[in-house]
């Protein structure tokens, strides 16, 4: 039996949970479950492109472009799979079972990619995608189900959960980077396989944490009435296993072809949202159009932000001076700078928006600021690659470090408000579908990030000249995009009909 139910006015039934530190006790269980899942995800993410080049292209620069395209496609498909996983949890087996099944599948995939065979590696990546689709969207939904819609602690609870995400993302690259370069390998020849094994172990810890802690949730996240049959879990598992070859195929095809597929999906989704907006009236129509305009700029942001795991890795490995008097700063550790910056600057920006009061920038202007900060990071790289290259052909360590910091400030202006904005602007009958559109727009940006990174590396691998040319192009695209969004922000704001 779960805890007794109380029914807050105007909301869904929410159990009367015991409280720990002012929040429902299951929040802390979900916090640690997500911590270890993010440890697994970010622990392996930094090593993917470097491993592909080292293992399957014998370290040749010719492997950088295909590695970047695989990385972009992988991230894009992770977001696309989240749409399917959310539907399965909603309609078929419930959230608790989706999370458990997703964790099992992800763990298997992470251990598979440690096997030094290119086919097994790609099957492993496809398996991680399939498992992540069941896990990632549903654990966030579970947090929301711990609070009634009118509970004032709701935003605070999500903030704490977000800190769990960033804590896992902060620690994972530090530990796995140290294991790869200092314990099992060397700075010159890191042992990337141990990174994937460590990530697999992290995912197993996440699975165990949720398995033993899920009793705290009571009825929250259990299957809908009439759908308790455990045979459904077997059918979903068979469906997930059948989806692995599909993801494998999408990883293997040309990134440009995948881009066409994702774009077609996005256009169909946009069309359905606009049609529903017209049905619901002028206000719903205008808000739908405003939301879709912002989705397009969201694609642009993530295309360049996600250089973090692809071209910035090659930059760090080949062109950044990481030598501190004989001690070499591991490449993977750069990936922790984003989380460190998020944890540092999130409360500062939250205070700043509050302090600005009525002068607080509108949603489209905040998106514009995010794009411009992303562009400023590329401007710093342009300067470093043109004016700060030393005799050994290396740029100073601090430049790439600050690139991650500047990008993180841009992310804070854009990412936290995206999901909230979508729920407010979408037609009432298609809110979940529109949320899928938000994730899909992010996924399209991620696939484009791999295509862009492959251009930066070229056919023979990244050089100072190729990096400078590519990042200069990135700066101008982001700057122009940010300025355009700033200029049309008043129009978008009018289309939003008072949504803040």
């Amino acid at each position: 039996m779960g805890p007794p139910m109380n029914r807050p006015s105007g909301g869904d039934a929410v159990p009367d949970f015991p409280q720990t530190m002012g929040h429902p006790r299951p929040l802390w269980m979900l916090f640690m479950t997500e911590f270890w899942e993010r440890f697994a995800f970010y622990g392996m993410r930094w090593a993917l492109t470097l491993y592909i080049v080292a293992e399957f292209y014998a370290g040749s620069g010719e492997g950088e472009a295909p590695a970047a395209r695989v990385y972009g496609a992988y991230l894009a498909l992770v977001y696309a799979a989240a749409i399917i996983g959310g539907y399965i949890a909603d309609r078929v087996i419930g959230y608790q079972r989706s999370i458990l099944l997703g964790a099992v599948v992800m763990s298997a995939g992470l251990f598979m990619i440690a096997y030094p065979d290119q086919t097994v590696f790609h099957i492993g990546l496809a398996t991680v995608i399939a498992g992540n689709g069941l896990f990632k969207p549903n654990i966030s939904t579970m947090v929301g189900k711990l609070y009634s819609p009118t509970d004032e602690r709701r935003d605070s609870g999500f903030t704490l959960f977000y800190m769990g995400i960033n804590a896992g993302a902060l620690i994972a690259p530090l530990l796995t980077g140290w294991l790869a370069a200092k314990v099992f390998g060397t700075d010159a020849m890191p042992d990337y396989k141990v990174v994937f094994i460590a990530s697999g172990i992290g995912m197993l810890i996440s699975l165990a944490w949720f398995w033993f802690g899920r009793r705290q949730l009571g009825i929250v996240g259990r299957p809908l009435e009439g759908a308790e049959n455990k045979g459904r879990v077997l059918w979903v598992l068979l469906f997930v296993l059948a989806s692995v070859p599909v993801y494998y195929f999408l990883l293997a095809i040309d990134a440009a072809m995948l881009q066409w597929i994702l774009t077609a999906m996005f256009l169909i989704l946009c069309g359905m949202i606009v049609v529903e907006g017209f049905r619901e009236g002028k206000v719903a129509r205008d808000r739908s159009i405003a939301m879709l305009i912002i989705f397009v700029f969201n694609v642009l942001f993530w295309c360049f932000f996600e250089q973090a795991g692809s071209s910035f890795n090659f930059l760090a490995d080949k062109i950044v001076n990481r030598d501190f008097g004989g001690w070499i700063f591991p490449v993977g550790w750069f990936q922790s700078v984003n989380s460190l910056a998020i944890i540092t600057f999130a409360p500062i920006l939250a205070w700043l928006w509050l302090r600005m009061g009525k002068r607080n920038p509108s949603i489209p202007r905040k998106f514009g600021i995010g794009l411009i900060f992303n562009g400023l990071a590329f401007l710093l790289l342009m300067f470093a690659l043109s004016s700060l290259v030393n005799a050994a052909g290396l740029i100073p360590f601090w430049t790439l470090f600050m690139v991650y910091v500047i990008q993180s400030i841009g992310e804070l202006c854009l990412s936290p408000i995206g999901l909230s904005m979508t729920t407010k602007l979408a037609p009432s009958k298609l809110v979940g579908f529109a949320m899928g559109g938000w994730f899909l727009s992010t996924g399209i940006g991620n696939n484009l990030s791999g295509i862009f990174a492959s251009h930066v590396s070229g056919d023979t691998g990244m050089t100072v000249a190729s990096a400078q040319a590519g990042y200069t192009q990135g700066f101008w695209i982001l700057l122009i995009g940010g300025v355009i969004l700033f200029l049309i922000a008043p129009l978008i704001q009018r289309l939003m009909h008072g949504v803040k």
Side-chain angles (χ1 to χ4, degrees):
M1 291 288 291
M5 305 292 293
N6 91 61
R7 295 184 180 274
S9 58
D12 297 326
V14 176
D16 188 14
F17 290 113
Q19 305 294 296
T20 300
M21 296 174 64
H23 286 274
R25 188 171 295 166
L27 174 68
W28 305 103
M29 182 273 293
L30 295 175
F31 175 100
M32 289 307 299
T33 302
E34 179 71 351
F35 170 93
W36 283 109
E37 187 274 332
R38 289 292 90 182
F39 174 93
F41 186 83
Y42 285 98
M44 55 82 81
R45 173 175 166 265
W46 71 266
L48 274 178
T49 51
L50 297 170
Y51 173 73
I52 292 170
V53 173
E55 187 68 40
F56 306 131
Y57 292 89
S60 168
E62 294 176 0
E64 291 181 14
R69 289 193 289 267
V70 168
Y71 171 80
Y74 162 72
L75 285 183
L77 293 169
V78 161
Y79 279 95
I83 303 170
I84 300 169
Y87 180 87
I88 288 172
D90 274 335
R91 304 291 179 88
V92 186
I93 61 172
Y95 296 93
Q96 291 190 27
R97 290 176 176 177
S98 293
I99 289 167
L100 288 168
L101 190 58
V104 170
V105 174
M106 276 184 75
S107 300
L110 287 165
F111 287 116
M112 286 171 71
I113 61 178
Y115 187 78
D117 176 87
Q118 195 162 10
T119 300
V120 175
F121 173 81
H122 282 100
I123 294 171
L125 272 187
T127 305
V128 172
I129 292 165
N132 194 270
L134 280 175
F135 189 104
K136 181 58 185 162
N138 297 319
I139 194 158
S140 301
T141 304
M142 292 283 286
V143 174
K145 290 181 177 292
L146 301 181
Y147 302 89
S148 74
T150 55
D151 194 326
E152 294 179 352
R153 301 170 302 163
R154 190 183 182 91
D155 285 349
S156 172
F158 269 104
T159 301
L160 288 168
F161 183 72
Y162 193 59
M163 296 297 280
I165 293 173
N166 281 288
L170 170 67
I171 292 169
L174 297 177
L175 179 59
T176 57
W178 173 71
L179 289 173
K182 307 295 183 183
V183 179
F184 292 94
T186 64
D187 294 310
M189 294 189 66
D191 187 348
Y192 296 116
K193 290 189 286 293
V194 75
V195 173
F196 307 134
I197 293 169
S199 295
I201 293 170
M203 197 63 233
L204 288 177
I205 295 173
S206 177
L207 169 62
W209 207 286
F210 188 78
W211 175 267
F212 290 109
R214 73 189 194 284
R215 290 183 182 177
Q216 299 176 25
L217 294 164
I219 66 166
V220 170
R222 287 186 182 170
L224 295 172
E225 191 172 339
E228 299 92 344
N229 183 356
K230 291 183 179 178
R232 286 185 169 218
V233 178
L234 177 61
W235 283 111
V236 170
L237 175 60
L238 292 174
F239 170 79
V240 169
L241 294 177
S243 73
V244 170
V246 177
Y247 293 128
Y248 176 87
F249 167 76
L250 293 171
L251 282 170
I253 65 173
D254 184 73
M257 178 61 70
L258 177 60
Q259 192 61 39
W260 281 110
I261 294 170
L262 295 171
T263 302
M265 290 171 60
F266 183 68
L267 291 174
I268 292 168
L269 181 144
C270 290
M272 293 173 68
I273 289 172
V274 170
V275 168
E276 182 59 35
F278 270 91
R279 283 181 185 151
E280 293 187 15
K282 180 179 183 298
V283 172
R285 177 199 68 195
D286 289 354
R287 285 177 174 171
S288 298
I289 293 169
M291 179 182 71
L292 296 177
I293 292 170
I294 292 175
F295 279 5
V296 172
F297 286 96
N298 187 54
V299 169
L300 184 61
F301 179 87
W302 293 105
C303 170
F304 294 100
F305 183 88
E306 273 302 339
Q307 297 308 301
S310 51
S311 74
F312 287 178
N313 261 348
F314 298 129
L315 186 77
D317 189 42
K318 300 171 75 171
I319 300 175
V320 174
N321 185 359
R322 297 179 287 116
D323 190 340
F324 288 84
W327 182 81
I328 307 298
F329 185 90
V331 170
W333 286 16
F334 279 108
Q335 301 295 313
S336 293
V337 178
N338 171 247
S339 297
L340 184 63
I342 293 287
I343 292 167
T344 303
F345 288 102
I348 296 172
L349 272 182
W351 170 84
L352 180 63
W353 301 141
L354 202 62
R355 184 67 184 268
M356 292 179 75
K358 292 182 178 179
R359 292 175 297 156
N360 191 354
S362 64
I363 289 173
R365 285 240 158 101
K366 281 181 180 171
F367 267 72
I369 293 169
L371 284 169
I372 289 168
F373 265 93
N374 201 349
L376 290 175
F378 281 81
L379 180 63
L380 176 56
L381 284 176
M382 285 169 56
F383 171 69
L385 290 162
S386 62
S387 305
L388 300 180
V389 181
N390 65 15
L394 303 175
I395 60 174
F397 171 88
W398 67 267
T399 55
L400 184 57
F401 185 96
M402 286 307 301
V403 161
Y404 279 102
V405 172
I406 296 166
Q407 278 196 324
S408 300
I409 296 171
E411 180 190 0
L412 283 168
C413 293
L414 177 148
S415 187
I417 62 172
L419 294 176
S420 175
M421 173 208 72
T422 302
T423 61
K424 294 172 184 175
L425 295 178
S428 59
K429 293 181 180 178
L430 290 181
V431 174
F433 196 62
M435 199 72 78
W438 167 261
F439 284 122
L440 187 56
S441 70
T442 304
I444 290 171
N446 288 334
N447 190 58
L448 284 171
S449 77
I451 295 171
F452 176 78
S454 70
H455 289 312
V456 175
S457 286
D459 294 331
T460 56
M462 182 182 287
T463 62
V464 170
S466 73
Q468 184 183 352
Y471 296 148
T472 299
Q473 185 182 37
F475 164 71
W476 285 111
I477 293 172
L478 285 164
L479 179 65
I480 292 168
V483 169
I484 290 172
L485 186 51
F486 239 78
L487 292 174
I488 65 173
L491 168 64
I492 298 174
Q493 196 63 40
R494 282 199 297 275
L495 290 170
M496 290 166 68
H497 290 278
V499 168
K500 303 291 184 185

